[in-house]
Amino acid sequence: MSAHTEYPEALELLVQAFVRLPGIGRRTAERLVFSLLDWEPELLAEFGRRLANLPNAIRICSNCGNLADREKCAICLDSGRDPSLICVVESPAQIMVIERARCFHGIYHVLGGRISPLDGRGPDDLRIGQLLDRLAVESVRELILATGADVEGEATASYVRESVKRSGLRISRIAFGIPVGGDIGYADSATISMAIGSRHEIT
Ligand SMILES: [Zn+2]
């Protein structure tokens, strides 16, 4: 285990920083750090400045909780979006994924996590109060609950559903199931059961 200590400390510290990122193992981190060694000093300095500036440059949208560079995020400011349709997600990363699919034209609400008793995170740690505030002043006709398909995601969706019950508000849950192009022969039983449970009528 002491094989890594032969690196100069500056390299080792950078490797350890990269390893903290999701999906980056020690080998990949080492490759990245060695690749940085080839960069021009000015480029490295600029990279460092951008990293250091991140906490100042990124804000949380005062309306939906998405990442923003001013008071409100680009989606909330976009007059082409349908503000009566709110998609509730756990984190801004999920907004990126949904936006990439270019299929949703409403706006969002970021909960800032999920209910997770094991991690000591309860409903009070989520932005549910802010969601209720929005529902009180915005004319929302549908809320789409897009939290994860696992136990915690389901618990979070149920909690939000119970909290926002209001006449005239339609609440829906995104469907889960077989990936497009997927063969049901390869899906696990939990996925099959989700897919059958969230089936819809075809005409
Ligand atoms: Zn926003």
Side-chain angles (χ1 to χ4, degrees):
M1 275 295 146
S2 61
H4 313 311
T5 51
E6 62 214 46
Y7 286 149
E9 195 188 9
L11 289 192
E12 176 59 28
L13 289 174
L14 262 185
V15 168
Q16 287 173 17
F18 277 112
V19 165
R20 297 180 70 168
L21 296 170
I24 308 275
R26 175 131 197 133
R27 292 277 285 278
T28 306
E30 287 171 353
R31 273 208 352 256
L32 293 172
V33 170
F34 276 106
S35 147
L36 285 175
L37 284 179
D38 294 334
W39 287 25
E40 297 292 333
E42 306 84 70
L43 213 54
L44 274 180
E46 177 58 28
F47 187 43
R49 274 195 297 275
R50 288 183 191 180
L51 282 180
N53 189 39
L54 210 50
N56 309 319
I58 300 294
R59 302 171 59 174
I60 301 295
C61 174
S62 62
N63 193 45
C64 73
N66 188 16
L67 300 178
D69 47 19
R70 50 194 137 168
E71 202 219 325
K72 286 187 178 167
C73 74
I75 295 171
C76 285
L77 290 172
D78 184 348
S79 58
R81 313 282 303 211
D82 178 359
S84 70
L85 193 56
I86 294 185
C87 180
V88 178
V89 295
E90 293 172 15
S91 77
Q94 290 157 348
I95 295 184
M96 311 277 175
V97 174
I98 297 172
E99 286 298 294
R100 223 174 285 140
R102 296 177 175 278
C103 60
F104 177 70
H105 304 291
I107 57 177
Y108 294 91
H109 187 83
V110 179
L111 293 173
R114 53 198 356 223
I115 295 173
S116 170
L118 284 178
D119 299 325
R121 202 162 338 105
D124 294 344
D125 300 308
L126 305 182
R127 300 178 67 256
I128 293 174
Q130 287 92 329
L131 178 61
L132 298 179
D133 291 346
R134 288 182 70 182
L135 292 174
V137 295
E138 296 174 29
S139 49
V140 179
R141 92 192 129 83
E142 181 173 354
L143 216 54
I144 302 172
L145 303 178
T147 54
D150 55 352
V151 176
E152 292 176 349
E154 287 295 340
T156 307
S158 306
Y159 189 89
V160 172
R161 192 182 59 229
E162 290 302 314
S163 312
V164 301
K165 267 186 183 163
R166 187 194 78 182
S167 63
L169 176 66
R170 187 175 165 205
I171 302 175
S172 55
R173 181 86 169 103
I174 53 167
F176 297 100
I178 314 301
V180 172
D183 181 327
I184 65 166
Y186 295 108
D188 59 278
S189 32
T191 304
I192 298 275
S193 122
M194 280 277 197
I196 292 180
S198 52
R199 70 191 180 278
H200 63 275
E201 190 177 353
I202 52 173
T203 48

